[in-house]
Each structure stands twice: as C-alpha cells, then as structure tokens.
Amino acid sequence: MSIWPARSRATGSLARVSCGFSCALLLASTIACQRSGPEGATTEAATEEPAKAAGTALDVIATSTSASNSATEAHHGPPDIVLITIDTLRADSLGFAGNQRVATPLLDRLATTGRVFSFAHAHNVVTLPSHVNILTGRYPYQHGVHENSGFKLGEEIPTLATLLHAAGYATAAFVAAYPLDARFGLDRGFEVYDDNYPVGSNPTEFVMAERRGDEVVGLARDWWEGERDSPRFLWVHLYDPHAPYAAPEPFASRYAGEPYLGEVAATDAFLEPLLAPLLDHNDGSTLVVVTSDHGESLGEHGELTHGLFAYEATLKIPLVLWGRGVVPGTDGTPVGHVDIFPTLLRAAGIEIPTDLPGRTLPIAGSDQQPPREFYFEALSGAINRGWAPLHGLLATHHKFIRLPLPELYDLAADPAESNNLIDRDRRLANRLRGRIPAEALEPAKRGDISEEELRRLRSLGYVASSASADASFTAENDPKNLIAIDRKLHQVVALYMERQLPQAATLAREIIAERPTMAIAYEHLSEALREQGRIDEAITALESALANGVSHPGVTRQLGLSLAEAGRGAEAVRLLASTAGGEDIDSLNALAVAHYSAGNLEDAHKTLLKVLSFDAENTKALETLGAVALRAGKTAEARRYLEQAIEINDRLPFAWNTLGVARRLLGDNAGALAAWQRAFDLDPRSFDALNNIGWVAASIGEKEMAIRAFTRFIEIAPPARGEEIRKARQALARLQ
C-alpha cells in the first residue's frame, strides 16, 4: 500500500523518496518562510522653517473655539490617538466622497462630523513603504523602504510609536496582513504589535496571508477598553479591500457586480465596534485619523490592481480627521501622508523633528498655505522585474511622472489623467523633473527576501530580481509599454488557480519568448509543468533561466528542489549547498529537503535544527523534521514535530497528510483517516491523502468511505500518476 503525504501547489516541487512503510514522502520545494527635507530636498516646504511644537496640544490645535464643541475644551491632557489605515481604499470609493453605489454609513458619519482632506495623496502605491511614510513622516528615499519585500525600516529612524511611547503613551498595533509583519521594522515602540495572521499559511492558497477586519477590530477594541491608565495610541490596519475581492455575506450578494465595493462596505461595518462608541460619546478626549495606504486601479490605464503606475486611482487616498481640536468641514488643501506624523506629534504636545518634509494638517480650519510639492514613486516594476523606475512630483494640481515616456497632467482640469501635456508644456515638465531629489533616483537596494515573500510576490504577478543600476532605460522598458506582459502574468496565475495547467504553461512560454530574462515567467512555467507531473520539463525551464542570465536565488532554490523531486538528490545538494550559508532560513530549509531526497537523514536533521535555532516556529522546518523522523523509523518523534507545526498553523495540508502516515504507523487508523481528510479539505489537490483514505478505509472495513475516496482519486488524479490510478481502479472493482 502506498501512503504519500500531499503535494501542495505553492510549496512547489516535492521530493519523492521511499520510507520504511513502503511509502513515498513528498517534501515541499519552495520553502515558505514562517513567520528631511534632507540635503537636496525637493519640496518648497522643505526650504521653509519646519513647524515646531509649542506649548500643549490645546495651545496648538484648538485655535478655533467657535467650531470646537465644549467637550473638547474640557480635556487638557494629551489626547488618545486612533490611527486607522485601510489597505487599497480608493479615494472615490466611499459615500462621503460622492460614491452612490456603496453604503459606508459609519465612515460617512465620521466624515460629516470630522474634517475631510479631499486632495490627499500617498507617496508609494504598495503597502509597506506607504505605511512607513505614514508612521515616520518621511519619504521613501529618506527612510529607505521602497517595496513590500527585501526592505526593513532602520532602527535609527523614529516612528510615531517610539516617540509617543517615550512620552508616556500606551501603544498598540493590530495589523491584518503579511506586508506589515513585525519583521519589517514597524513594531518598534509598540508595547503590543499583533500581527497574528496565520503563520506559514496554507501553501496552496495563492494569496497574501491576512485576517479579516472584524477579527482585527475585535482585538483592537479589547485592548482599547482594557488600557485606561495612560493616554493611548492605537493603530488598526485592515486589509479587506485588497484583491482578491471576496467580501463576506451579506456584502458579497449585495455587491455581486462590484466585488471591490463589497469589500469596502464590509470594512465600514467591521469598524463599527471601535468607531461607533467614540462617535456616540464624543467627550473630546480622542483624535481619530482614517486613511488608506494607496488606492486600486480596477483597470484604469490598463492596470488591474496597483503597484505599477502612480495614477490617481492608486495615488490619491482618503484622509479624515475627527475629534480633539478638529473643525468639521471639507478642505481641498493639497496634503500628503507625510503630514500625518507631525500633526499627531503636535496634538500630543511632542516636539516635532526639524528634518521632516511634511507640515501639520490645518485641522482647526484652513489657513493660508504656501504652494506644496510632494514626491511619489512606484518602484515595484523596477525592483521586481527590472522595468524602468517611476518617480514623480505633485506640485499643487500639476503632476509630473518621470519615465522614459514622461507624463504631465493638470489634475484640476483632467482628474482622469487622459490628456498628457508633456508636449505642450516642456518648460513646466523640465522644472518639475529637476525638483525630484537626486537621492530618490538612486537604485533602491533590496536585501535578502524569504520564500514567503517570494510566494506572496508571485501571487501578485511579481518576483524578486536585481533591478538594473543603468539609468539609460528606453521606451521599451517603460511600464506603459509592458502592461500587456503584466496582464499576461495575471492571466497565468488565474489559469493556474483554475487548474488550466497546459494553458498556463503555454502563456508562460509566450512571456519568456518576449522577455527571456524575466524570472517570474520561468517560475510560473515550472510550477505549471510540475503540477502536470512534467518534472523533467520543469527542470529544463529553470536551467534555461540560469542560462539566459536570470540570476536569482529563488530560481536556484527551486531548481535544486525540483532536482530533489526528480530523485536527483545528490545534484540538488551540490547546487544548494553554496547558497545555504549563515542565517538564510529559506536556503537552509531547501538544503534540508535536498539532503532528505539524497538519503542524508542526519544532515537533513541537523540543518533543520539550525533553522529552528533561528526561528522556533518555522512550520516548514517542523513538518520536514516530521518527514525525516518518519523515514528514520522514529514515528512518535515524527508525530510530535507534525503536531507542533499544526498547533502553530492548522491549515498546512502537507503536515496533516504526513501526520496521517505517522498515526497509521502507530496504529491509530481513525486519527490517520481524520488527518488525511483534513489535508484534502484544505487542498482538494491532496491526491495522496485521498488515495491513503481509500486504502486504509478498505483495510479496516469502511467500505463506503473507501469507495468514495477511490472514486474521487480516479476522477481527479493527474495522468502522471497512472500506476496509482490503475491500482485504485482494481481496488474499487473488488470493493464493488
């Protein structure tokens, strides 16, 4: 009887080797990681004396007593501060912004009694750098974080949390998704930094690790209610409007034709337990800020989501302030994310650093504002794909986009950015181009990234690569001319998820023909081929990537692990040994799989223990240790490792399936069947789990269960598993 732990998609290629129970264990191939205006500043504001804190918060903010309610004036201590960031929320997707197709009653109420800044902009169009901008008050070229992966905020840079905590605030953050994991540096200064989305998430899910907004808000609300001894700073991050759009009911049905708006409406409802009590009992003790990190394109300018361009669909963001010192109204003053930081410091009575590019927001009513300029960038295409980098400048209502094919728009006359003025006003374009700081144009230097980050990037159509330091990009490298490639990449992912694997492979080959140095295309091609059992073709594809000069550690790891799956473990060890140095957890995990495939169980065990010395909750290392122990005949030890992995995250089909093998060997047939069923429920492509259920159920007289399992296995198993299918047919015939 064959008992094979499940093969899972996003963990990629699997190494098949024999074990003591005449079984083949499949090990995952892609190792999912667990868990200034300075000199040359470009803004005119930076040439002026920065705003400095003076006196108490009330001295500074409550300048318009005629519009402030009496409750506000009754509180003279530092205000409680609530910062809410809603990921991927378009500025025009809310009721108070004039959108009549969506119901957002809570945020509408906040806006009606608060101050809406109707011309607010982000400076990045992806999650991590945009939040760093908000929480440090600095531009990306000042703090060094330009993308969602491979970047970490330096410890030398103060944040809202570090400064507020030093001033006596209780501080807590509750974040919803992987891009804001504590590993990226935003946890500093927070006494509580709750980023407990699923660790080592189900590798078959081709999406970002996240948790729903109502769960995040519930945890934040509990902390808020339990912390009353000092002023409070609470940051709540919700990820729900991010693609894929899958709102819960009743919003899914109500917005079936516009699922993005369904997510927006659901997010509004999720916030009610936190915001409604503040709105109902406004005692003037709290200052609330609600904004987004960036918007969402929804197809405008050919962009399906966000990250490539910096048009208004993704760069313009909602910004509402409510509470202490805020005069209700709508303000069209040009403002940016960098203005939030000094505003909240001033509200708390904390001295504002003198090197910030932003200004305090005019929350007590508009005063005369000098002209503003804001820097922005969209570097995901450059960093991850080697395309031309996008830098730009907003000067009041004029917007300049620096690309090989430059763009200039008058947003007051052309908010849809349909009329490029570059040929009509070269003088203005050249002036704005010259105002972009030289520091911003230096190539962004990304550090090492994990397999978890790689997998998340792939889910968005990206993969890490080394962006060229050559500034001589041409029109060929302009993302506007590569949008068709971007769409094809999204289509490959869609075909893969729909299990149209031959079509996905064909389309990936088309992309390689057009862009032979694009690593992501090789990644997608090899994945589609492996899923069809065409492992030799997958290896050939990855080898051709290296031959074409695609230098990327993820490609090397994937090739090594594909070799392991093909039974070429010794080759895999030779390939991967040179990359698995130091504390590179992903390379160590990959090397352990290669050792396992080569039969070097002791080396595999030592390598995995080294991983756990760096990350005790690395579920990939734990489930691989379970497989190693199982093959070594240490079944009870295997069970312990696998149960430990599942305790950390119970959505790991590989761990459940291998646990089923261990339980079967220990005589626990019921437990084995339950584990295999759980694996199949998590991943309907867990063919081994299904086959195992059939054989074990048949052996203990569970005839109907065995018939169902064999029937389903025969229906869905890929042709490459022909011998197993043949044996399952024979067993089914005997049962019937």
Side-chain angles (χ1 to χ4, degrees), residues 712-723:
R712 186 64 178 147
F713 176 75
I714 292 166
E715 290 173 350
I716 67 174
R721 308 188 75 156
E723 180 62 17

Side-chain angles (χ1 to χ4, degrees), residues 399-467:
K399 183 178 188 178
F400 174 73
I401 300 173
R402 184 184 186 274
L403 279 170
L405 300 173
E407 300 167 70
L408 177 67
Y409 298 102
D410 180 350
L411 298 178
D414 180 25
E417 295 162 295
S418 58
N419 185 20
N420 186 359
L421 303 176
I422 195 69
D423 292 327
R424 300 185 192 178
D425 202 339
R426 290 281 179 180
R427 183 176 180 181
L428 175 60
N430 289 334
R431 183 177 71 82
L432 296 181
R433 180 196 299 270
R435 299 286 289 171
I436 298 175
E439 309 96 291
L441 302 179
E442 295 177 2
K445 297 180 180 179
R446 122 184 290 158
D448 293 334
I449 68 173
S450 70
E451 283 294 334
E452 177 83 353
E453 293 172 88
L454 283 174
R455 182 163 60 84
R456 302 310 177 191
L457 283 169
R458 287 199 294 271
S459 76
L460 302 174
Y462 290 115
V463 72
S465 61
S466 298

Side-chain angles (χ1 to χ4, degrees), residues 153-183:
L153 179 64
E155 295 186 1
E156 73 281 2
I157 298 176
T159 70
L160 273 174
T162 60
L163 295 179
L164 289 171
H165 184 257
Y169 272 75
T171 55
F174 298 84
V175 303
Y178 175 81
L180 299 179
D181 189 281
R183 75 181 71 187

Side-chain angles (χ1 to χ4, degrees), residues 6-11 202-205 499 531 651-654 676-687 689-690 716:
R7 184 183 207 283
S8 57
R9 171 263 173 255
T11 52
N202 181 359
T204 68
E205 296 173 352
R499 312 307 297 154
E531 284 293 318
R651 296 183 58 80
L652 299 170
F654 175 78
W676 290 324
Q677 186 62 54
R678 175 64 171 156
F680 184 72
D681 290 342
L682 287 169
D683 179 11
R685 293 160 287 176
S686 295
F687 308 119
L690 200 55
I716 67 174

